């Protein structure tokens, strides 16, 4: 099935209303799964880590989640020094500092550039830890419960950029020439996204409209990587009205307001 045919669009008029809706949906999923056992989610950097993640932590906490059962991974991470403000880990760690009972060892960081490994070794090590920790698999890839993705104005997601998709030999890949700085990154691959139960994408603001217009025209994954996202149970786009072009509303079959 094509990306657009399986996509569920969740629209809110404002960013704050969207953040609340996403937080409620993620919290509901996490609370239900943490009541049964360990839960593995992957998160993104950028506006997701800045705005959406703190709200998710607050709503899940208010809903009584058992944070001790939650493991947090990175959909992608910038390969920079440990204290660089470009490192998504810093924002994610700050958000999780407000999660009562969260186990710091359950925040699975990618190695930093000053930890004596290169970006290829960092990607390999991250894949090893994923395989060792996430016991559920799908088609050989670790099966995460939910991957929370962002999307750039060029249609990239995680660190999967147009015209330079990595080979899919492992569940992670190294990126050495990202068009968006910093140039070196570690990313989950499409196979790992597809193995997850849910992939939910967060996109806000008018700078995302052009990419979402492209999405509606059924482009190649190489031209618009966000259209390569698949999951076992649902692929959702959480977007505010400013980000959504009319073409996308027309092309999408499942819409929630
Ligand atoms: O570089 C990145 O950009 C994307 C999109 O960020 P946003 O601020 O435009 O939402 C992000 O999802 C990704 O994790 C990050 O490395």
């Amino acid at each position: 099935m094509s990306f657009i045919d399986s996509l569920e669009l969740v629209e809110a008029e404002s960013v704050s209303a969207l953040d609340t809706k996403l937080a409620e949906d993620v919290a509901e999923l996490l609370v239900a799964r943490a009541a049964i056992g360990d839960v593995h989610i992957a998160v993104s950097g950028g506006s997701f880590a800045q705005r959406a993640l703190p709200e998710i932590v607050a709503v899940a906490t208010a809903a009584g989640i058992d944070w001790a059962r939650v493991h947090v991974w990175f959909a992608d991470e910038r390969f920079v020094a440990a204290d660089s403000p470009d490192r998504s880990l810093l924002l994610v760690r700050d958000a999780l500092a407000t999660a009562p009972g969260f186990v710091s060892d359950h925040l699975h960081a990618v190695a930093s550039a000053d930890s004596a490994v290169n970006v290829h070794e960092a990607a390999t090590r991250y894949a090893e830890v994923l395989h060792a920790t996430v016991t559920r698999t799908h088609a050989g890839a670790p099966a995460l419960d939910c991957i929370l993705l962002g999307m750039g104005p060029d249609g990239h997601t995680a660190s999967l950029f147009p015209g330079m998709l990595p080979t899919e030999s492992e569940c992670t890949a190294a990126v050495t020439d990202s068009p968006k700085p910093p140039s070196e990154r570690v990313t989950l691959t499409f196979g790992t996204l597809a193995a997850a139960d849910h992939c939910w994408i967060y996109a806000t603001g008018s700078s995302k409209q052009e990419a979402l217009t492209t999405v509606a025209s059924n482009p190649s994954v190489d031209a618009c990587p966000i259209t390569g996202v698949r999951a076992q149970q649902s692929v959702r786009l959480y977007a505010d009205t400013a980000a959504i072009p009319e073409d996308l509303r027309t092309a999408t079959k499942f819409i929630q307001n």
Side-chain angles (χ1 to χ4, degrees), residues 111 115-117 119-131 172:
S115 66
V117 297
V119 68
H120 299 281
E121 289 169 58
T124 302
R125 283 194 193 180
Y126 206 55
E128 285 167 0
V129 182
L130 269 163
H131 280 297
T172 64

Side-chain angles (χ1 to χ4, degrees), residues 96-170:
L96 290 168
T98 63
F102 180 76
V103 179
S104 57
D105 283 355
H106 289 182
L107 177 56
H108 300 281
V110 176
S112 62
D114 47 8
S115 66
V117 297
N118 62 36
V119 68
H120 299 281
E121 289 169 58
T124 302
R125 283 194 193 180
Y126 206 55
E128 285 167 0
V129 182
L130 269 163
H131 280 297
T133 314
V134 182
T135 47
R136 202 161 58 96
T137 59
H138 182 82
L144 301 173
D145 292 86
C146 188
I147 302 183
L148 295 159
L149 294 162
M151 185 195 77
D154 58 354
H156 86 265
T157 192
S159 283
L160 301 160
F161 288 94
M164 42 180 303
L165 299 179
T167 49
E168 292 262 337
S169 55
E170 247 307 341

Side-chain angles (χ1 to χ4, degrees), residues 4-250:
I4 200 77
D5 282 342
S6 61
L7 185 67
E8 299 172 21
L9 176 60
V10 182
E11 176 174 0
E13 272 187 19
S14 65
V15 173
S16 69
L18 185 74
D19 289 351
T20 303
K21 175 66 181 149
L22 175 63
E24 287 169 356
D25 290 355
V26 175
E28 187 181 349
L29 179 76
L30 296 185
V31 168
R33 295 199 176 196
I36 299 165
D38 284 349
V39 188
H40 293 273
I41 60 165
V43 299
S44 294
S47 59
F48 172 82
Q50 260 157 3
R51 278 198 316 253
L53 186 58
E55 181 101 8
I56 290 169
V57 171
V59 175
T61 300
I65 191 168
D66 182 356
W67 279 112
R69 287 189 157 168
V70 180
H71 287 250
V72 179
W73 301 86
F74 287 80
D76 71 321
E77 177 60 290
R78 291 94 177 264
F79 188 67
V80 288
D83 61 356
S84 165
D86 280 335
R87 197 158 150 81
S88 302
L89 172 67
L90 306 189
L91 286 171
V92 173
R93 198 165 45 200
D94 279 356
L96 290 168
T98 63
F102 180 76
V103 179
S104 57
D105 283 355
H106 289 182
L107 177 56
H108 300 281
V110 176
S112 62
D114 47 8
S115 66
V117 297
N118 62 36
V119 68
H120 299 281
E121 289 169 58
T124 302
R125 283 194 193 180
Y126 206 55
E128 285 167 0
V129 182
L130 269 163
H131 280 297
T133 314
V134 182
T135 47
R136 202 161 58 96
T137 59
H138 182 82
L144 301 173
D145 292 86
C146 188
I147 302 183
L148 295 159
L149 294 162
M151 185 195 77
D154 58 354
H156 86 265
T157 192
S159 283
L160 301 160
F161 288 94
M164 42 180 303
L165 299 179
T167 49
E168 292 262 337
S169 55
E170 247 307 341
C171 63
T172 64
V175 176
T176 54
D177 49 1
S178 160
K180 177 178 175 181
S183 59
E184 292 191 314
R185 290 147 176 264
V186 170
T187 185
L188 299 183
T189 49
F190 282 119
T192 313
L193 305 188
D197 292 337
H198 304 279
C199 283
W200 293 349
I201 303 154
Y202 176 78
T204 61
S206 55
S207 70
K208 308 289 165 80
Q209 260 213 27
E210 195 179 324
L212 292 177
T213 303
T214 307
V215 166
S217 69
N218 208 12
S220 70
V221 173
D222 193 49
C224 189
I226 194 78
T227 62
V229 177
R230 299 287 185 281
Q232 294 305 303
Q233 293 180 28
S234 74
V235 176
R236 282 189 197 160
L237 171 64
Y238 286 82
D240 67 335
T241 299
I244 303 177
E246 200 45 47
D247 290 2
L248 187 75
R249 267 192 214 96
T250 309

